[in-house]
Amino acid sequence: LSVSIARGWPKFPQDVTRPNMLHAKFLRSPYAHARVKSMDLAAAQKLPGVVGIYRWDDPDFKAFQGSYNSLLDDEADHWNIEVGAVVVAETPEACDDALAAIKVDWEVLPFYLDPRDSMKPDAVVLMPKQYPQSNLQPAAQSYHGVLLRTQGDIDAGFKQADQIIEWDMTEQAATAFHPNPSAGIAWMEDDELGTGKQVMIEHGGATNGANPLASNAFTRAWGWTGDQFRYPNFWQGGKYCDFATRRVQTMAPILAKKLGRPVRMIQSRQDQFDCNAQNVRFYHIKVGVKNDGTITAVSEYVVSEGGTRGAATLGQSGDIKYDPFYTTKCLNIRSECVVSMTNTAS
């Protein structure tokens, strides 16, 4: 693997090109939370090199509406998220010119960047259709907390302590580093048996090769069978997956089928950085210790930002057990975590 990369042999998704290939880019939100009130595409559609501009309400996009996330929507739940429209053009530069020429009238909506604010009783519910009760992660809504780990007798442990120390700390957000940008490239071609069309999807980042979100959505929306999809997955370094990646993998083949030409979509560094951040956590920690340094009890309460997807446990409640005391030999530990939605990527 290392030798192959050093010699430049691997082909990554952004290296793939096809004859007569088009380029596509999403319109992105300049606000942390906003809804498209109206959109004027007239000037953008007249620019040289622009092949098409398609809104969120396009029937081909609506067919991919899922129970949780839309392929494209008219409401942005965090800054820089894909929203409202996608531009297809002969060059990436023509896409940029068209995006700049789209006139959008935005309705700016309430937003939260700190989970401690979004979990307050009077906080505006960010996703009322999916989670009408509160901004807390669904697993936490019933009792305002997720008791992730408890062992021993926490009260007895603190009684054994000679000293009790309490403090607050913040674990700042971090982002994954991807040495190459994510991309989705798709084209239609006759299948090997001559029975009809198949879609070829080059991508990187989704686990287990083929993108299950895309394949299931295509089967449902197009009525195609699984063998009509080909995923000749190319290399993708330092990458797991995220919804931003899956969006380009799903949109590229839809546009390729719509226009009858190959379509390539590549995420920018900024797009990837924003959507791969590990979220901020706020800790209140109480530790009991003996004078010889033995830790007798640990109690921690953690508030983590959950973004507006709200249901993901990766990097949040599902991973909070790997806290600062995960490897301690203390016998008495109580760890409680609340995950509250914010207008940040997740």
Side-chain angles (χ1 to χ4, degrees):
L1 176 63
S2 299
V3 171
S4 298
I5 293 175
R7 292 182 177 179
W9 292 342
K11 180 171 285 189
F12 292 86
Q14 72 272 21
D15 298 325
V16 179
T17 59
R18 300 292 296 175
N20 204 29
M21 186 177 71
L22 295 169
H23 300 264
K25 292 189 179 184
F26 287 106
L27 179 69
R28 294 182 177 274
S29 174
Y31 300 101
H33 193 195
R35 183 180 296 114
V36 176
K37 295 174 62 177
S38 65
M39 180 180 292
D40 185 354
L41 305 177
Q45 289 171 328
K46 296 177 182 177
L47 293 176
V50 174
V51 175
I53 304 177
Y54 305 99
R55 293 166 30 122
W56 73 92
D57 52 2
D58 186 283
D60 290 333
F61 300 166
K62 299 292 283 185
F64 283 76
Q65 171 69 46
S67 60
Y68 187 64
N69 284 313
S70 302
L71 177 62
L72 193 61
D73 206 348
D74 63 340
E75 183 174 331
D77 56 27
H78 65 267
W79 175 83
N80 200 51
I81 193 175
E82 307 94 330
V83 64
V86 60
V87 172
V88 186
E90 299 289 349
T91 65
E93 293 76 16
C95 288
D96 293 335
D97 292 341
L99 289 170
I102 295 175
K103 297 179 181 178
V104 182
D105 183 11
W106 297 98
E107 177 188 0
V108 181
L109 302 172
F111 66 93
Y112 300 103
L113 302 181
D114 190 320
R116 296 169 297 182
D117 294 330
S118 65
M119 63 184 289
K120 291 179 180 178
D122 60 347
V124 174
V125 177
L126 297 177
M127 298 184 72
K129 292 181 180 179
Q130 293 90 338
Y131 308 109
Q133 300 301 319
S134 74
N135 292 321
L136 293 178
Q137 186 180 22
Q141 288 185 4
S142 61
Y143 54 93
H144 290 253
V146 180
L147 186 60
L148 294 159
R149 182 159 61 108
T150 181
Q151 63 185 50
D153 187 332
I154 193 75
D155 294 327
F158 280 116
K159 288 180 180 179
Q160 296 170 13
D162 295 317
Q163 300 182 55
I164 296 178
I165 307 169
E166 292 188 61
W167 74 93
D168 295 315
M169 75 176 195
T170 302
E171 187 176 70
Q172 296 293 343
T175 188
F177 171 70
H178 303 154
N180 57 289
S182 299
I185 304 97
W187 64 94
M188 312 296 292
E189 63 181 38
D190 293 328
D191 68 20
E192 295 91 336
L193 300 178
T195 58
K197 289 291 185 181
Q198 62 183 2
V199 62
M200 308 291 289
I201 305 173
E202 303 278 8
H203 64 89
T207 55
N208 300 322
N211 175 9
L213 173 75
S215 58
N216 293 338
F218 291 137
T219 301
R220 184 180 68 250
W222 292 354
W224 285 19
T225 58
D227 58 3
Q228 288 180 275
F229 302 95
R230 298 289 185 270
Y231 296 90
N233 196 27
F234 277 60
W235 293 51
Q236 177 79 13
K239 176 66 178 167
Y240 184 60
C241 69
D242 61 49
F243 190 70
T245 301
R246 297 194 292 274
R247 258 192 175 131
V248 299
Q249 292 166 9
T250 308
M251 181 61 80
I254 293 173
L255 295 173
K257 183 174 183 288
K258 194 184 219 16
L259 297 167
R261 293 173 61 180
V263 174
R264 179 165 77 169
M265 305 187 76
I266 297 181
Q267 298 286 68
S268 70
R269 295 289 188 190
Q270 176 175 284
D271 302 336
Q272 293 192 175
F273 183 92
D274 186 58
C275 284
N276 286 277
Q278 295 297 310
N279 299 337
V280 176
R281 298 173 182 172
F282 300 92
Y283 292 80
H284 179 76
I285 300 174
K286 179 180 177 182
V287 176
V289 295
K290 291 185 175 181
N291 290 333
D292 63 3
T294 302
I295 299 176
T296 61
V298 174
S299 174
E300 60 178 351
Y301 177 76
V302 187
V303 178
S304 176
E305 64 173 352
T308 44
R309 303 294 165 214
T313 59
L314 181 65
Q316 300 167 21
S317 61
D319 288 348
I320 202 69
K321 61 184 178 182
Y322 303 113
D323 59 17
F325 302 96
Y326 179 65
T327 58
T328 184
K329 294 182 179 180
C330 179
L331 300 178
N332 308 300
I333 296 178
R334 177 188 174 91
S335 177
E336 187 176 4
C337 176
V338 172
V339 181
S340 190
M341 299 179 195
T342 50
N343 295 99
T344 53
S346 60

